[in-house]
Amino acid sequence: ASTHKEKMAQQARLLKKPAMPQLLLVPVLLSKAMWSTRCVMLLTASIFSLWVLADGVEAFAPPARDPISRRHHTAHTLNLFNFVGGGGSAGAGGASSVPKSPAARDSQAIGSIKAALASPKNPSFRLVEVEFPVLAAQNKLGDGSLRSAKEAEAANLQFALKLAKSISIPFVGPKVYVVASSAASNSFAASVAKKAGGSATVISLKDGLPGFDATDIVIFLTPSTSADYRTAESIATSGTVGGVIIVNGYAKDAKSVRQEATMAYYYKPLTYNSQVAGYLVREYPSQWTAVDAVTNSALGAFTDEEILVRKTNTPDLRTSVKLVQKSFDERAIEARRRG
């Protein structure tokens, strides 16, 4: 009987005490569970961060039907494409600077365009404009020759395609359209499409417009007719695109571009006594700045309200020209006094 009791007690002890191989598996199982939990936590945190950056689920929702909600959706979605940044080196309220080379000019212009797309002067009028001489030889722009016109055409196209590549990220977006003027020939539109490759979709206003998505960017390449400008304005106010960019509009008049548009970049040499004596420069969101060509010093800075011709997006050059002339004359007087 005692032997039977001893056997029963030994079996009870074995049931209470796990075997050594099983005990060794416990930390392994715990480690796997902790690692799985950590992965889940990291994945959850990453998803939440993206959700916050996109300003919640609203940024991922389909565009609303009413214009106000659609524009609100567009503004949030644009931030996902990293348009924030760029613009004038001095920031809002500061002075703009003169570019030292064509490459620097393009960099300034593209940075200013991105700043204007991210935060336009009027969020309900997403029309952005840039205006600058594309050829280094200023006299070629107005000599009327076919050769100079072709050179300017090629330079404008080169800038537009550089802009498109800087805006659109491959496989991510946004989609960029380059619009040829309704006055452009079919051969020119075909040439633009060939050079654009996959960086942009080229369309001609002669063929009509496609359906746009809320994040699409539409670049109007040197519009030259009133119909071109009205079409650009209509798209910009439709609430169906991320932004419209006019690159070096041609044959502009007081009614071509409304004052609600944003002049993202403006660069114009100012002549006096048959030579370049200064510049008027604007890098959005910095102020318009009159600059002396010799000293490179700022002679005056202006807001949109102070410099734009009433009801237009075109600057009044008279004040800037006077400042440049005064600086030029004062320097000449001082040189004669010393000389």
Side-chain angles (χ1 to χ4, degrees):
S2 60
T3 304
H4 178 71
K5 289 182 180 179
E6 290 176 358
K7 288 182 177 179
M8 294 294 291
Q10 185 178 6
Q11 289 178 357
R13 286 194 298 272
L14 289 174
L15 289 173
K16 291 181 181 179
K17 183 177 181 181
M20 184 60 66
Q22 292 177 331
L23 288 176
L24 291 175
L25 286 175
V26 171
V28 176
L29 293 173
L30 286 175
S31 176
K32 288 184 177 180
M34 291 174 65
W35 175 251
S36 299
T37 304
R38 188 177 301 172
C39 290
V40 171
M41 291 176 65
L42 288 173
L43 180 60
T44 303
S46 299
I47 294 173
F48 179 74
S49 298
L50 288 173
W51 184 81
V52 172
L53 288 173
D55 199 16
V57 295
E58 183 179 14
F60 296 96
R65 291 184 179 275
D66 62 286
I68 294 177
S69 298
R70 193 178 183 90
R71 286 193 296 267
H72 183 68
H73 164 77
T74 298
H76 286 306
T77 311
L78 282 176
N79 287 334
L80 297 178
F81 291 114
N82 197 30
F83 286 146
V84 180
S89 55
S96 300
S97 59
V98 176
K100 299 184 182 302
S101 66
R105 176 206 63 204
D106 290 354
S107 178
Q108 285 182 342
I110 291 172
S112 299
I113 289 170
K114 289 182 177 180
L117 288 173
S119 181
K121 182 172 66 176
N122 188 335
S124 64
F125 194 82
R126 307 190 68 83
L127 181 61
V128 174
E129 188 178 7
V130 292
E131 188 173 328
F132 56 86
V134 291
L135 299 180
Q138 302 295 323
N139 60 325
K140 284 189 176 183
L141 293 174
D143 65 7
S145 71
L146 179 61
R147 180 177 180 179
S148 296
K150 291 290 185 182
E151 289 181 10
E153 187 179 81
N156 278 312
L157 173 58
Q158 183 180 15
F159 172 78
L161 296 182
K162 182 187 293 187
L163 172 62
K165 290 178 181 178
S166 72
I167 290 175
S168 182
I169 303 172
F171 308 110
V172 177
K175 189 171 184 178
V176 178
Y177 290 87
V178 174
V179 181
S181 169
S182 57
S185 64
N186 293 333
S187 60
F188 174 73
S191 174
V192 173
K194 183 178 180 180
K195 292 179 180 179
S199 62
T201 299
V202 178
I203 56 178
S204 172
L205 287 181
K206 293 179 180 179
D207 302 327
L209 296 172
F212 295 115
D213 289 333
T215 58
D216 291 346
I217 302 299
V218 185
I219 302 174
F220 275 74
L221 179 60
T222 58
S224 56
T225 68
S226 59
D228 293 348
Y229 289 107
R230 296 291 72 79
T231 302
E233 178 182 307
S234 175
I235 297 173
T237 56
S238 67
T240 60
V241 297
V244 176
I245 306 167
I246 292 179
V247 174
N248 287 327
Y250 181 71
K252 286 177 60 178
D253 58 30
K255 297 180 180 180
S256 295
V257 183
R258 286 162 41 187
Q259 63 184 358
E260 292 88 351
T262 304
M263 182 63 81
Y265 188 73
Y266 186 90
Y267 170 54
K268 185 175 182 64
L270 304 175
T271 58
Y272 181 53
N273 285 348
S274 301
Q275 59 183 299
V276 175
Y279 305 91
L280 178 61
V281 190
R282 203 283 171 88
E283 299 174 77
Y284 188 84
S286 299
Q287 292 186 325
W288 300 75
T289 309
V291 181
D292 187 287
V294 176
T295 64
N296 206 36
S297 58
L299 304 176
F302 316 94
T303 63
D304 281 353
E305 292 74 17
E306 293 171 330
I307 199 171
L308 293 180
V309 176
R310 187 171 176 269
K311 295 185 177 181
T312 76
N313 201 43
T314 302
D316 186 338
L317 302 178
R318 290 176 295 180
T319 301
S320 300
V321 169
K322 288 179 180 178
L323 289 172
V324 168
Q325 289 175 346
K326 181 181 178 183
S327 180
F328 185 95
D329 290 340
E330 288 177 348
R331 190 163 47 248
I333 293 171
E334 180 64 19
R336 284 197 297 269
R337 187 184 65 81
R338 292 180 178 181

